[in-house]
């Protein structure tokens, strides 16, 4: 996506929140820093995820100085060998170095917030206590742990659990949760532990809570680098495009018949796509202690 195209999107959508993350590394885009600056000029909250392989000392300073609000480090291992196995590259030490440098810069200048995201799967679950310790060492503001979400559960089941049992997974999570409290690492592990049965059913057996619904299509969307407008970031191919922001115009698509009919289905708790079956968005809202997002948005949806 070019800066010119990005500004067109901002002009049409007028968002208050932008997540500059898609299917690829955002720092590969040579204009990403200018995109962030232009967003901040408009008062937009900006969030970005990165694997940190490209975030050298000089680039880290530039990124922090854009005024970006939240930067997320995507890290799937606490050991070099596991990182190599999952990511297919021997870059663990480099990533940890870059993350530590960025953390120091962010805390020194007072921005942005810095979060580590750890995606659970078979190969890295035993290292979850190690990732809590690493989060402490790097000094991130928050450690967010989430199960791996796959579009085709049956063909990817080995990635998720292999020969793991639910009790084994629960034990690892409980131990990591206790450690996070001892080390004073802010994390969602206690919530994940309390909802381990729900998470296991959805991500391992493919079951989900049919009473929950997704509110994202009512206030949010995903726009691909080609301008395709989709209901969310889990819609990972052009087959989910409801229109194109450049060709059709955002308002025409957002208020169009196809989008409106999808919202009706979601309001009636019907999941229209296969990707919705094991999605963690609805329960991640219900898992919030206060439930404010669900209550606020759902009250609007019911009034439509």
């Amino acid at each position: 996506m070019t800066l010119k195209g990005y500004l067109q999107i901002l002009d049409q959508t007028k968002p208050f929140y932008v997540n500059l993350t898609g299917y690829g590394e955002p720092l590969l885009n040579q204009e990403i820093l200018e995109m962030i600056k232009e967003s901040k000029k408009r008062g937009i909250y900006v969030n970005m995820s990165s694997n940190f392989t490209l975030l050298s000392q000089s680039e880290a300073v530039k990124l922090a100085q854009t005024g970006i609000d939240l930067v997320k480090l995507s890290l799937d291992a606490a050991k070099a060998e596991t990182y190599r196995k999952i990511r297919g590259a021997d870059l663990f030490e480099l990533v940890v170095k870059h993350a530590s440098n960025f953390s120091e810069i962010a805390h020194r200048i007072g921005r942005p917030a810095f979060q580590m995201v750890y995606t659970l799967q078979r190969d890295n679950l035993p290292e979850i206590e190690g990732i809590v310790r690493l989060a402490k060492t790097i000094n991130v503001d928050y450690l967010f742990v989430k199960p791996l979400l796959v579009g085709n559960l049956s063909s990817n089941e080995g990635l998720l659990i292999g020969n793991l049992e639910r009790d084994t997974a629960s034990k690892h999570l409980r131990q990591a949760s206790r450690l996070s409290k001892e080390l004073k690492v802010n994390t969602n592990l206690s919530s994940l532990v309390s909802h381990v049965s729900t998470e296991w059913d959805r991500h391992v057996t493919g079951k989900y809570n049919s009473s929950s619904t997704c509110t994202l299509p009512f206030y949010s969307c995903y726009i691909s680098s080609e301008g395709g407008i989709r209901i969310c970031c889990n819609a990972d191919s052009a087959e989910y495009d409801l229109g194109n922001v450049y060709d059709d115009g955002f308002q025409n698509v957002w208020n169009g018949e196809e989008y409106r009919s999808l919202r009706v289905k979601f309001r009636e708790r019907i999941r229209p796509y296969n990707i919705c079956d094991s999605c963690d968005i609805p329960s991640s809202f219900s898992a919030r202690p206060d439930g404010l997002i669900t209550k606020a948005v759902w009250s609007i949806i019911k009034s439509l």
Side-chain angles (χ1 to χ4, degrees):
M1 182 178 291
T2 65
L3 176 61
K4 180 180 179 181
Y6 180 71
L7 294 179
Q8 284 184 255
I9 293 174
L10 293 188
D11 289 339
Q12 291 191 46
T13 59
K14 297 178 172 58
F16 65 87
Y17 176 97
V18 168
N19 184 355
L20 291 173
T21 303
Y23 292 91
E25 170 54 45
L27 292 177
L28 285 170
N29 190 316
Q30 297 299 308
E31 297 181 298
I32 190 67
L33 298 183
E34 290 304 315
M35 292 178 182
I36 297 170
K37 291 176 183 177
E38 289 295 329
S39 300
K40 294 311 300 176
K41 287 179 183 178
R42 301 171 187 232
I44 300 169
Y45 184 99
V46 182
N47 158 27
M48 186 188 78
S49 296
S50 170
N51 60 29
F52 272 59
T53 57
L54 301 176
L55 199 66
S56 63
Q57 179 81 13
S58 60
E59 291 302 309
V61 172
K62 293 177 184 178
L63 177 60
Q65 290 178 340
T66 62
I68 190 170
D69 298 280
L70 173 63
V71 173
K72 298 178 181 179
L73 162 63
S74 177
L75 186 62
D76 304 326
K79 298 179 181 179
E81 55 267 34
T82 308
Y83 183 96
R84 188 185 309 112
K85 183 176 183 180
I86 293 175
R87 296 271 178 163
D90 193 14
L91 297 172
F92 178 77
E93 299 298 338
L94 179 67
V95 169
V96 171
K97 177 184 176 181
H98 286 176
S100 298
N101 288 339
F102 183 78
S103 179
E104 190 277 326
I105 293 167
H107 285 97
R108 173 160 43 86
I109 69 176
R111 66 174 188 272
F114 184 28
Q115 180 181 119
M116 179 188 291
V117 179
Y118 191 68
T119 304
L120 284 175
Q121 51 188 285
R122 178 196 61 197
D123 292 328
N124 66 13
L125 178 60
E127 295 180 17
I128 192 167
E129 289 182 81
I131 207 66
V132 172
R133 293 189 180 90
L134 186 58
K136 177 69 174 180
T137 300
I138 294 175
N139 193 24
V140 299
D141 297 310
Y142 195 85
L143 168 63
F144 185 76
V145 180
K146 65 175 185 177
L148 176 67
L149 179 66
V150 295
N152 186 332
L153 186 67
S154 60
S155 63
N156 291 282
E157 185 177 1
L159 290 173
L160 296 169
I161 54 170
N163 59 355
L164 289 175
E165 298 291 336
R166 186 200 305 241
D167 290 344
T168 302
S170 181
K171 179 181 178 181
H172 282 298
L173 292 172
R174 288 196 305 270
Q175 291 173 338
S177 181
R178 285 195 294 268
L179 181 61
S180 68
K181 293 174 183 177
E182 292 173 10
L183 297 181
K184 297 182 179 179
V185 174
N186 296 319
T187 178
N188 67 322
L189 277 166
S190 60
S191 176
L192 195 59
V193 168
S194 64
H195 293 84
V196 67
S197 294
T198 302
E199 295 293 341
W200 187 271
D201 285 344
R202 184 172 62 253
H203 292 277
V204 176
T205 69
K207 298 177 182 178
Y208 61 87
N209 180 6
S210 60
S211 65
S212 67
T213 192
C214 183
T215 57
L216 288 180
F218 294 85
Y219 67 91
S220 176
C221 72
Y222 175 83
I223 299 179
S224 71
S225 57
E226 295 81 19
I229 302 173
R230 306 170 191 170
I231 60 168
C232 71
C233 62
N234 289 331
D236 58 359
S237 65
E239 67 179 290
Y240 297 107
D241 286 357
L242 298 168
N244 189 284
V245 68
Y246 304 127
D247 300 331
D248 307 311
F250 178 75
Q251 292 298 329
N252 291 332
V253 178
W254 181 256
N255 297 310
E257 182 177 345
E258 188 173 5
Y259 225 129
R260 291 168 66 88
S261 65
L262 279 173
R263 293 191 188 101
V264 170
K265 292 179 180 179
F266 280 111
R267 188 173 59 187
E268 295 174 350
R269 305 182 189 277
I270 298 171
R271 301 194 175 202
Y273 299 128
N274 290 335
I275 56 171
C276 301
D277 287 347
S278 60
C279 180
D280 57 357
I281 295 296
S283 67
S284 66
F285 284 154
S286 61
R288 283 171 52 92
D290 51 31
L292 291 178
I293 293 180
T294 299
K295 293 176 183 177
V297 175
W298 190 244
S299 64
I300 297 173
I301 294 172
K302 289 192 294 184
S303 68
L304 295 177

